[in-house]
Amino acid sequence: MTLKNDLFLKALKGETVERPPVWMMRQAGRYLPEFMAIKEKYDFFTRCQTPELASEITVQPIRRYGMDAAILFSDILVIPQAMNIHVEMKPNFGPYLPNPIRSQKDLDSVIVPNVHETLGYVMEAIKATKEKLNDEVPLIGFAGSPWTILCYCVQGQGSKTFDKAKELCFTQPVVAHELLQKITDTTIAYLKAKVAAGVNAVQVFDSWGGMLSPTDYQEFSWQYIQQIIDALKDETPVIVFGKGCWFALGDMAKSGAAALGVDWTCSARNARYLSGGKITLQGNFDPSRLLSPPSEIKKMVHQMINEFGKDSYVVNLGHGILPNVPVENAKAFIDAVKEYKQG
């Protein structure tokens, strides 16, 4: 299999490129009218669990904008679902887990599943997506970090502080670590299955990593992400994105990950410095800045590329795209990268 556009994979290897590749976190989804048309007909997990729908949603932004990589439409919470934890997606509320894990007794019912049985629909979606993409661009598979998944499993819903998740870690560390290990084992099996099904790279989203102090981050998040990298790095490039985790960039750079995601609170210069200047970085445009006028977006994107440098760099947002971004502004972001010329 040779990809017609392998710019993204070249950047992950640190090869010299004409321009950096570009994709956007959450590019498959909520800001696109063609996605909203599907959303009106099918609920959230139906979209995730139906390969035909998931693959269609994945390729919609590629058809419209021609990004340099596609990311499979799915959700990080399919993992706890497979582990025998009930997860609902409530409209205008977000994820809701009615039976949160807060004791050893709660944890006893949590399983490390056979991912081919419980998450086979994801592998089918990958195969369907690969057919639709027809080797145009690489396909990224993803998972949440074990800590980020734990946050939802213990809190039972989204939160600004994840106080109950942290309380479990600090008052019942044995339970917390057992849950984290079960999530890690499931995630490794899941990502390996995704690679076998055909994804070209994987990304681990540590969306709530920045909730922890640097010391607690090592104990409750990073050591588990490292297990995932160790298990996958010889099979596929692994990107790690920790929101608010600038303090860990040094350790992350030594981890065997192919690239590190950076959010918009960390400047290009600091990210290069903290990561040692050799590893590929990805990011870090503030998603809210996509609400600026298109001409301004283009200027800011060119400036961002100049600051990161065109090589060992993947242009992306510093977190997921927002639902209220106009489609022409998203287009301005992608076009700015394609039009980039050094100088």
Side-chain angles (χ1 to χ4, degrees):
M1 178 209 75
T2 50
L3 290 162
K4 292 165 198 156
N5 173 352
D6 64 350
L7 199 56
F8 172 68
L9 299 178
K10 281 183 171 162
L12 293 184
K13 290 187 196 128
E15 292 176 14
T16 304
V17 290
E18 290 289 303
R19 65 162 177 88
V22 58
W23 66 280
M24 295 190 292
M25 289 187 273
R26 286 215 159 152
Q27 68 188 20
R30 52 208 185 155
Y31 67 107
L32 289 173
E34 53 268 47
F35 170 81
M36 298 310 283
I38 294 177
K39 183 182 174 184
E40 278 168 27
K41 290 187 199 156
Y42 306 97
D43 73 60
F44 183 79
F45 282 117
T46 301
R47 281 173 264 147
C48 290
Q49 290 162 4
T50 311
E52 182 47 44
L53 295 175
S55 60
E56 171 59 25
I57 292 166
T58 302
V59 298
Q60 282 176 345
I62 308 301
R63 281 192 206 121
R64 188 187 266 268
Y65 303 113
M67 290 89 167
D68 297 304
I71 183 162
L72 188 73
F73 176 77
S74 185
D75 194 79
I76 63 171
L77 296 178
V78 299
I79 287 267
Q81 276 183 332
M83 295 174 69
N84 201 28
I85 299 170
H86 185 67
V87 182
E88 298 167 21
M89 195 60 77
K90 288 191 168 181
N92 306 317
F93 179 81
Y96 178 65
L97 292 76
N99 309 305
I101 310 301
R102 295 187 184 160
S103 67
Q104 185 67 50
K105 186 170 170 291
D106 296 333
L107 183 60
D108 289 342
S109 63
V110 176
I111 61 165
V112 174
N114 176 330
V115 293
H116 297 283
E117 287 170 14
T118 53
L119 293 162
Y121 63 85
V122 178
M123 312 319 148
E124 293 308 313
I126 290 168
K127 288 168 190 160
T129 304
K130 294 290 281 190
E131 273 181 40
K132 288 187 172 124
L133 286 173
N134 193 23
D135 296 334
E136 288 291 337
V137 294
L139 178 61
I140 304 165
F142 70 90
S145 73
W147 158 254
T148 290
I149 301 293
L150 173 141
C151 280
Y152 289 104
C153 293
V154 178
Q155 198 78 24
Q157 60 186 70
S159 166
K160 285 194 166 59
T161 58
F162 287 103
D163 53 333
K164 291 190 170 58
K166 291 172 91 167
E167 182 184 353
L168 181 82
C169 290
F170 304 153
T171 60
Q172 302 179 70
V174 173
V175 175
H177 283 298
E178 193 183 326
L179 176 55
L180 285 163
Q181 193 58 56
K182 283 184 175 184
I183 298 167
T184 303
D185 294 346
T186 305
T187 302
I188 287 170
Y190 175 58
L191 290 175
K192 284 193 167 205
K194 280 186 164 180
V195 173
V199 300
N200 304 96
V202 297
Q203 176 157 317
V204 178
F205 284 85
D206 197 5
S207 305
W208 306 123
M211 295 274 170
L212 293 166
S213 73
T215 307
D216 292 331
Y217 186 73
Q218 290 296 330
E219 183 178 350
F220 295 103
S221 185
W222 182 253
Q223 63 164 319
Y224 296 99
I225 295 175
Q226 185 67 64
Q227 285 184 42
I228 295 168
I229 298 167
D230 289 344
L232 277 126
K233 66 180 181 190
D234 294 337
E235 293 178 27
T236 198
V238 181
I239 305 166
V240 177
F241 171 65
K243 188 167 182 295
C245 301
W246 58 270
F247 55 79
L249 284 172
D251 290 320
M252 289 177 172
K254 300 184 193 94
S255 66
L260 307 177
V262 186
D263 69 42
W264 67 91
T265 63
C266 185
S267 69
R269 186 180 171 188
N270 280 347
R272 286 283 182 215
Y273 172 74
L274 293 166
S275 63
K278 292 184 182 69
I279 193 165
T280 296
L281 297 178
Q282 174 177 281
N284 68 341
F285 202 78
D286 180 350
S288 301
R289 268 291 178 185
L290 288 179
L291 300 168
S292 300
S295 59
E296 210 172 305
I297 292 170
K298 288 196 175 183
K299 270 191 216 132
M300 293 173 78
V301 169
H302 289 162
Q303 184 183 347
M304 180 172 76
I305 298 170
N306 288 335
E307 287 173 6
F308 276 100
K310 75 167 174 69
D311 294 325
S312 300
Y313 178 49
V314 176
V315 180
N316 206 318
L317 306 175
H319 206 210
I321 189 169
L322 302 166
N324 56 334
V325 168
V327 288
E328 58 272 20
N329 292 28
K331 183 177 189 301
F333 180 80
I334 303 299
D335 288 351
V337 185
K338 293 186 172 178
E339 292 160 10
Y340 179 79
K341 290 181 180 55
Q342 220 175 348

